[in-house]
């Protein structure tokens, strides 16, 4: 999981090793993903050890109406999180669905 800089050569070798790299990710989402996958963010090659990595059966990028999402299934050692994707026809419907979900979770 990277935020910015990675060379094309590094991407090539990681792809040969079947290691997926998430490049375009928000800083706030890194902690959530690491908790979900039970992995650690790696900032240098010195920290590139098996204990810091995660494994999954399938990781795929799915195109939605306005963007793309990354779906991870079959996580070998999952963390205590879940993700709910809300979609709506407009912002008002989406906000109402968000409030309804919040109310249901707070009961």
């Amino acid at each position: 999981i990277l935020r910015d800089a990675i060379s094309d050569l590094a991407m090539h070798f990681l792809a040969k090793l079947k290691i997926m790299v998430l490049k375009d990710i928000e800083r706030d989402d890194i902690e959530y993903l690491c908790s979900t996958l039970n992995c650690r963010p790696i900032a240098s090659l010195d920290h590139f050890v098996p204990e810091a990595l995660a494994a999954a059966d399938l990781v795929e990028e799915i195109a939605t109406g306005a963007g793309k999402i990354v779906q991870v299934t079959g996580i070998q050692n999952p963390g205590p999180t879940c993700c709910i994707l809300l979609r709506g026809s407009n912002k008002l419907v989406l906000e109402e669905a968000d409030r309804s979900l919040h109310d249901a979770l707070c009961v």
Side-chain angles (χ1 to χ4, degrees):
I1 300 172
L2 298 172
R3 278 209 23 92
D4 297 318
I6 187 167
S7 68
D8 291 335
L9 183 62
M11 290 292 293
H12 169 74
F13 284 115
L14 289 170
K16 283 180 80 172
L17 295 171
K18 298 186 186 296
I19 297 174
M20 182 180 191
V21 177
L22 298 177
K23 292 192 311 183
D24 300 324
I25 186 169
E26 295 296 323
R27 189 173 302 272
D28 299 337
D29 295 336
I30 292 175
E31 183 179 338
Y32 173 76
L33 277 173
C34 288
S35 176
T36 300
L37 299 172
N38 271 336
C39 65
R40 292 190 315 252
I42 299 171
S44 70
L45 287 177
D46 297 333
H47 299 110
F48 202 81
V49 293
E51 297 82 33
L53 302 177
D57 292 337
L58 178 65
V59 180
E60 60 186 339
E61 188 175 59
I62 300 172
T64 60
K68 297 177 183 178
I69 60 170
V70 175
Q71 181 179 5
V72 181
T73 56
I75 300 170
Q76 303 296 328
N77 188 16
T81 62
C82 71
C83 183
I84 299 173
L85 179 65
L86 294 177
R87 295 182 64 188
S89 58
N90 57 36
K91 190 173 181 175
L92 181 66
V93 171
L94 188 58
E95 288 173 352
E96 184 60 32
D98 184 34
R99 281 192 294 273
S100 297
L101 180 63
H102 181 269
D103 291 346
L105 292 174
C106 290
V107 172

